[in-house]
Each structure stands twice: as C-alpha cells, then as structure tokens.
Amino acid sequence: MAKNLQVPILYFLLHLGLIFFMYPRNIIESTESSHWIPIFVAVASHFILLILYLKGLSYFPGQSVISIFTEAGKVYSFLFLLPLFFYFFIVLVVSVRAYSEIIIIIFLSNTPLWCVMALLLLISAYLASLGIRSIFRAAMLYALLFIPSILFVLVFSLQNVDWYYLLPIWSNKFQFLTHPSYFKSFLAVGGGYLFIGFVQPALSFRNKDILLAALCVAPFFFISVYIPILTFGQETASTMMFPFAVATDAVNINWLAFDRITVFFLLCSITFLMLFLTMAIFTTAKILNHYIPSIHFQYSIVTTVILTFIFCIFIPNWSELEEIFRWSSLWNLYVFFTTPLLLLFLGLRTKKKGEKSFD
C-alpha cells in the first residue's frame, strides 16, 4: 500500500511546486474576468489527457515509456522519445532560470544569479543520482513536513478577500484560447503527469490513486488565481509579477511569532519545485542514457546538468526568458497531447494483436 501511495503523492507535490508562482500571472493575463473558465478548461484537459495516459500505460504493466516505445520500433521511438527529451530539457532550462530569478527577488537580492542556478541544479542532480526510489522517499518526507504549512497559509490568506471581485461569474468571451499567456500556463497543468510513465518497473501504482491525487490538486489551480484576484482585484493583480506571493505577504497574524508567513509558503513551494527539477533531470538523463548506452547513467546526469547550466547562463534577462517560454509552450502542447494519444494507440494495437494470436 505504501509503495502505491508514493507515486500519487509525488504527482501531487510536483503540481504544487508549479502552481503558485507563474501560473496565477499567466491566467490573470489571459482574461479580464471569469477566471474560472480558463482554469476549468485547462484542468478538464488535464484529466482527459491523464486518463488516456494511464489507460495507455495499463496495456503495458510493469514497463516504462522508454521500453514501450523502444519495443514499438524506431519510428515510434523517434516520434515520442526525442520530443520528450527536448521537452524535459527545455522545461529544465526555463524552470531553473525562472525560479532562480524568483528566489533572488524574494530571498537573496545580493546573490549572483549563477550561484542560485548552480545550487538548484546540484541539489536536484544529487537527489536524481540516488535513484527513483530515493526521490519518492524524499517526496513522502516533504509531504509530511510541508503540506500542513501550505494549508495553513492558504487558510489564513482568505482573511483579506473581497468576494465582490468574483463578479462577473460568467463571461462569453473566450479570447484566452488564443492568448500566449494561457498556453504558457499549461506548464503547470501538464508538467507533472508525464513523469508517471518513468516510474515502472521500479515502483508500481494504481490508476485510481493517481486520479484521486489529480482531484486533490485540482482546487489549487483555482485557489492560486482567485486568492490574489479576491484580495486585490483584476486591475491590480494583473500588474504583479507573482500575484499569489504578494497576496500571502499581505496576511497579518498577530499571534504568530514570525512577521511574514510568506517565507514558510515560498520555502515549501521551492522544495516541491526542486522535486520537479529532480524528476526532469532524472527523466532527461534516462532518455539520454537510452540513446547513448555507453555512457553511465551518472554521467548522463552530469551531462544534463552541465548543458542546462550553460543554456541558463546564456539567457540574458527576463524578457528573453519570457520569449523562450512563449515559443516553448507550443512544443509543450505538442508533447502533452501527442504522448497519451500515441501511447493509447500502441496499447490498443498490442491488445488487438494479442487477441488475434489467441484466436
């Protein structure tokens, strides 16, 4: 039972690490009212893709996506693994560069950017080098330590809300479907479920546990956007780079010994983010090791980290990072939608072949 719970818990934490920083800003930028509509569309898409992905994996019990597509042939390996490799690598570069700058803005204003990037990469790479089981054990420990703090911050951040800002509840404007910021928000929506395909055969899981974790994480997509909206209103929240962090910073608790509960929230979120970076390094190195088996897995991790650091160094400023993020969002959408569909196709084809050979 404990083994089955490790995968959904990591899935839950990965999404928490992605939701609270850039996602609220992306959604607030993409629409001026009725923010629940774009959030609902994205979350519904996530559930559909997740169900298709899990269904496809169920046809290949005990196999990772690397072995599944390798056995399917070179064409399918090329169509899936190479795009997935570039997806994880691009996401790794964008995430390390973006969240390093966030850490500097909030915590370490006098620290060089390259130091923060190196620290994030080295800690994540060390955990990735310990293996998949160690990553999941760390996730269980982080869940026990930090989820209560996250819930504590969320509850008390409601003290400043003005429910009037919920209006208008319904809007027939769907311009968000063509807004670049909305597509950038899909990193938080779809960035966590692809890792599920890499945990077998080291760890098993039950599909219903993953779906239950998805149900648990869904409200956080709405909370992360609506707390800053209900606190400041659309006009003010749209001017903020990190609306949710500012909203929690405005919370005042007289009986608490610490002046700012934001520090606890941000530290918890960054810890979950580092789990995401760890899994991104692990999966990128796994695919690299698959294509170049002569390189030991540990050296694949080192290669991934060095290349990521070099690419991060060459991104000069936040504007360039936003541009890379915008263009990479199209690649992300391609991977999010084609991966489960292709996996399901292979699963149905394998099942059909098995039925024919049995007959």
Side-chain angles (χ1 to χ4, degrees), residues 129 150 219 346:
S129 68
I150 290 283
L346 288 177

Side-chain angles (χ1 to χ4, degrees), residues 122-227:
L122 288 175
I123 295 175
S124 301
Y126 173 73
L127 184 56
S129 68
L130 297 178
I132 190 71
R133 294 180 184 275
S134 297
I135 296 173
F136 280 90
R137 284 194 292 268
M140 295 291 286
L141 178 62
Y142 294 162
L144 291 173
L145 292 176
F146 299 125
I147 286 181
S149 298
I150 290 283
L151 296 177
F152 175 85
V153 172
L154 292 178
V155 169
F156 280 94
S157 62
L158 294 173
Q159 71 179 22
N160 295 327
V161 303
D162 184 348
W163 298 105
Y164 173 79
Y165 289 128
L166 273 175
L167 302 175
I169 295 177
W170 173 256
S171 172
N172 57 1
K173 297 179 180 179
F174 289 85
Q175 291 95 334
F176 65 87
L177 292 172
T178 59
H179 200 289
S181 291
Y182 186 63
F183 295 113
K184 289 192 289 185
S185 73
F186 269 78
L187 174 61
V189 176
Y193 82 89
L194 292 172
F195 295 113
I196 298 171
F198 289 84
V199 304
Q200 297 184 121
L203 288 169
S204 63
F205 59 88
R206 296 178 301 188
N207 289 353
K208 66 178 183 179
D209 292 331
I210 301 295
L211 293 174
L212 180 61
L215 286 173
C216 292
V217 82
F220 291 93
F221 288 103
F222 294 88
I223 291 170
S224 67
V225 174
Y226 270 99
I227 283 181

Side-chain angles (χ1 to χ4, degrees), residues 52-68:
L52 294 176
Y53 193 55
L54 292 174
K55 183 64 176 176
L57 288 172
S58 67
Y59 289 112
F60 306 94
Q63 287 186 265
S64 70
V65 291
I66 294 178
S67 62
I68 293 170

Side-chain angles (χ1 to χ4, degrees), residues 11-28 39 99 102 106 146-155 157-158 184-185 187-189 216-229 237 240-249 262 264-273 276 318:
Y11 165 91
F12 180 76
L13 297 184
L14 291 179
H15 285 88
L16 287 188
L18 293 171
I19 287 174
F20 292 109
F21 287 107
M22 292 185 288
Y23 179 75
R25 180 190 177 193
N26 292 333
I27 294 296
I28 291 170
I39 300 172
Y99 287 100
I102 291 170
I106 298 174
F146 299 125
I147 286 181
S149 298
I150 290 283
L151 296 177
F152 175 85
V153 172
L154 292 178
V155 169
S157 62
L158 294 173
K184 289 192 289 185
S185 73
L187 174 61
V189 176
C216 292
V217 82
F220 291 93
F221 288 103
F222 294 88
I223 291 170
S224 67
V225 174
Y226 270 99
I227 283 181
I229 289 293
M240 300 173 181
M241 183 173 289
F242 310 115
F244 189 86
V246 178
T248 56
D249 199 37
T262 315
F264 293 99
F265 162 75
L266 293 176
L267 288 174
C268 296
S269 299
I270 290 169
T271 303
F272 299 154
L273 169 72
F276 176 81
W318 187 269

